Amino acid sequence: MTQDVIALTPEMPDARSVLAGLFAGGPDLRVSSSAEGAVVHLRTQDGRSVVTVEVPLFVQVPGEVRRLLGAGAGAEAPVWWTEVRATTAVAEAERLAGSIAGRLAARLGGSTWPADAAHTGVVAVPSEDGGNAVDSPLAVDVLTPQAAVILQDRPVVAATTWLTDLIQTSIPSGREVQIVTPPGTRLTLPVRTLLTKVPARWIVRDPDCGYYDGLTGAVLHWHEGRFTQALTSDGRTPISDAFHSGAGGQDEQQLHLSIRTTHPAVEELLLGSALEAAWQALTGNPPAGWSTAEPVNQPWSPRQLTELARTRAKKAAPTWLVAVGTPDSPAIATCRIIRTPAGVEEHITLAVGHTPDRPPPLDTLPVLAETLAARHNLTSMLTHLRPGRADLTTPPHHEPPPVPLSFTLGPDAVHTVGRTHAESFQRPRPTRLGPATRSALHYTLGNGTDPTAWQHLQDLNNHLKSRQ
């Protein structure tokens, strides 16, 4: 499996320290960059990608190192995080990654993860004879016309700058991004969210069936340049035994919210306030930090994220960000901010983890819906409850599907649909939230345990669309 090595240092890696690391491969490697300079690529003279080095991040958010690397990482915030990734396509790449990270830790103090990967030796990386390598911007382990395959051997696959850049670069090529992991690896919510929105697949190694899809359990095999579903003689796709055997009893829960807001594009607009209000209502605290990738490194600041979104909007580019909570109150969110003819839209996915001694505050949802509608330009909010890990990661085994709890239609959306039509739905009948002249409508679909709530949601969706 690919060896990712992370240097965790108390001091900022300055230019001299970074150069000392990069020269671990000798003077013959070529240097290029992507993701607006946030990812540095080291390549051989014939164009083969050897390692990628992400720009050092100053992680100031408590719990981020432990969340992504586990309790044995040996460092906690505040710390400088420099991630080095080796490709398996070059034999010397793993040792080179260890030397780059090891040189940073030796020069600046601190540690590396994994600890036994670090050293400070020079690693010579020869060019291939014949010079037939292709200089591709995709630094992956296996590249075919059909797929960009990466191997990840770490406890949690996170939405790092390198991974999000890879996904964005792969989309125009028409390739499917395929992430291969050992059976003990989990996904963060941002990664899972990304994988459901682009052509991508999570492949889990299994000693019995070979490979299976970590989200569906379908047995996979390598066919015509990519991992695809295996078929039995009668045309069925078998499901891995490991996918079902790993799904034991689940007494933890996850509360999921999908929130959409639409704001007037005015100078005084402050983004992130809807997310902060939801976070405060459900956990008692605001988010701890935010960033455009994982690890989440900056303290929570709606003003800073608004400035970033405004800068990107001038380039007609959307903004995608991640927010996290404190270690003792697990919550995580993604937010996509886009400029549309209607204004500035926020598409928020928020998940909060719950244990038996800290159950989800379902009674808070109508109150939250009214707050978002009255103060934060709510367009719609859909809430679900599901059994799942309280740490909000996704394991490679079956988890029960979410069950809808409620749906809220914001005041402007009610006006678009037509109040009389929106209120005529009977199963369930909506509750008005806010002033009579500009109220939202809140539909209670169930208590989070009855799967018939899905039918209620489908009926409601069909009813609202029938007038549009």
Side-chain angles (χ1 to χ4, degrees):
M1 298 295 288
T2 295
Q3 182 67 70
D4 296 349
V5 188
I6 300 167
L8 302 166
T9 59
E11 297 183 26
M12 180 180 70
D14 56 11
R16 182 173 296 181
S17 300
V18 173
L19 284 173
L22 296 180
F23 272 107
D28 295 330
L29 294 181
R30 296 162 46 190
V31 179
S32 61
S33 66
S34 62
E36 299 179 343
V39 180
V40 175
H41 303 262
L42 290 183
R43 303 178 186 274
T44 60
Q45 291 297 323
D46 57 10
R48 290 177 300 156
S49 177
V50 184
V51 299
T52 57
V53 184
E54 296 191 24
V55 167
L57 290 175
F58 186 43
V59 179
Q60 306 172 68
V61 181
E64 274 300 272
V65 176
R66 178 185 292 261
R67 180 175 75 89
L68 299 180
L69 300 181
E76 279 299 342
V79 67
W80 286 92
W81 174 304
T82 307
E83 182 147 347
V84 187
R85 183 182 188 276
T87 175
T88 55
V90 177
E92 299 81 4
E94 183 176 328
R95 277 187 48 77
L96 178 56
S99 181
I100 293 173
R103 288 180 175 213
L104 288 175
R107 188 179 183 93
L108 303 170
S111 60
T112 64
W113 180 94
D116 58 2
H119 65 97
T120 58
V122 175
V123 181
V125 182
S127 295
E128 285 187 339
D129 294 335
N132 296 321
V134 177
D135 191 354
S136 168
L138 299 179
V140 299
D141 297 290
V142 178
L143 185 66
T144 73
Q146 293 76 32
V149 182
I150 59 172
L151 311 180
Q152 293 275 277
D153 187 6
R154 54 200 301 169
V156 176
V157 176
T160 63
T161 302
W162 173 81
L163 180 57
T164 56
D165 178 53
L166 170 65
I167 291 173
Q168 291 299 319
T169 307
S170 297
I171 291 173
S173 72
R175 294 182 176 93
E176 183 177 74
V177 175
Q178 301 195 327
I179 304 174
V180 183
T181 73
T185 295
R186 293 168 280 121
L187 306 182
T188 66
L189 178 68
V191 171
R192 178 168 183 169
T193 301
L194 286 173
L195 295 190
T196 60
K197 296 182 181 299
V198 299
R201 191 187 291 272
W202 178 22
I203 298 105
V204 181
R205 291 189 297 120
D206 180 69
D208 294 327
C209 68
Y211 301 92
Y212 69 91
D213 188 304
L215 298 180
T216 68
V219 174
L220 306 174
H221 68 151
W222 184 260
H223 179 66
E224 295 184 349
R226 64 173 180 165
F227 284 100
T228 188
Q229 293 183 1
L231 297 176
T232 60
S233 57
D234 57 358
R236 294 181 300 105
T237 298
I239 302 299
S240 165
D241 291 338
F243 185 71
H244 286 296
S245 63
Q250 185 71 65
D251 58 358
E252 298 177 344
Q253 293 178 302
Q254 300 173 0
L255 178 61
H256 287 250
L257 293 83
S258 297
I259 302 169
R260 290 188 61 183
T261 65
T262 305
H263 308 281
V266 295
E267 186 65 29
E268 60 270 21
L269 174 62
L270 188 66
L271 296 168
S273 58
L275 177 57
E276 182 174 317
W279 214 295
Q280 188 80 43
L282 298 174
T283 71
N285 296 293
W290 77 284
S291 184
T292 56
E294 295 178 288
V296 173
N297 65 314
Q298 303 180 75
W300 176 248
S301 173
R303 186 160 301 282
Q304 288 182 357
L305 70 87
T306 300
E307 291 172 356
L308 174 65
R310 186 171 285 123
T311 299
R312 292 191 171 181
K314 293 177 181 178
K315 303 176 182 179
T319 297
W320 185 83
L321 60 92
V322 182
V324 295
T326 57
D328 59 344
S329 183
I332 191 167
T334 63
C335 179
R336 188 170 186 263
I337 302 168
I338 55 175
R339 183 73 165 87
T340 70
V344 181
E345 297 186 10
E346 295 173 297
H347 298 193
I348 300 166
T349 300
L350 169 63
V352 184
H354 294 279
T355 56
D357 60 342
R358 189 169 49 84
L362 303 186
D363 293 344
T364 303
L365 294 178
V367 179
L368 171 60
E370 185 168 4
T371 298
L372 294 176
R375 303 178 187 176
H376 303 287
N377 299 308
L378 178 70
T379 299
S380 64
M381 180 174 75
L382 177 62
T383 67
H384 294 88
L385 188 66
R386 68 175 303 161
R389 295 175 61 105
D391 66 8
L392 303 171
T393 60
T394 299
H397 60 64
H398 172 74
E399 290 186 311
V403 178
L405 289 165
S406 64
F407 178 76
T408 306
L409 205 59
D412 288 341
V414 170
H415 177 75
T416 299
V417 172
R419 180 169 299 280
T420 301
H421 182 71
E423 289 188 322
S424 67
F425 189 72
Q426 298 295 314
R427 299 187 311 275
R429 297 190 64 180
T431 301
R432 289 187 179 185
L433 302 176
T437 57
R438 186 175 164 76
S439 60
L441 294 179
H442 183 73
Y443 303 82
T444 299
L445 303 171
N447 62 4
T449 61
D450 185 358
T452 59
W454 278 110
Q455 186 60 53
H456 296 159
L457 178 60
Q458 183 63 50
D459 292 343
L460 173 60
N461 186 54
N462 292 337
H463 176 79
L464 296 177
K465 283 185 174 181
S466 67
R467 190 61 179 269
Q468 297 180 10

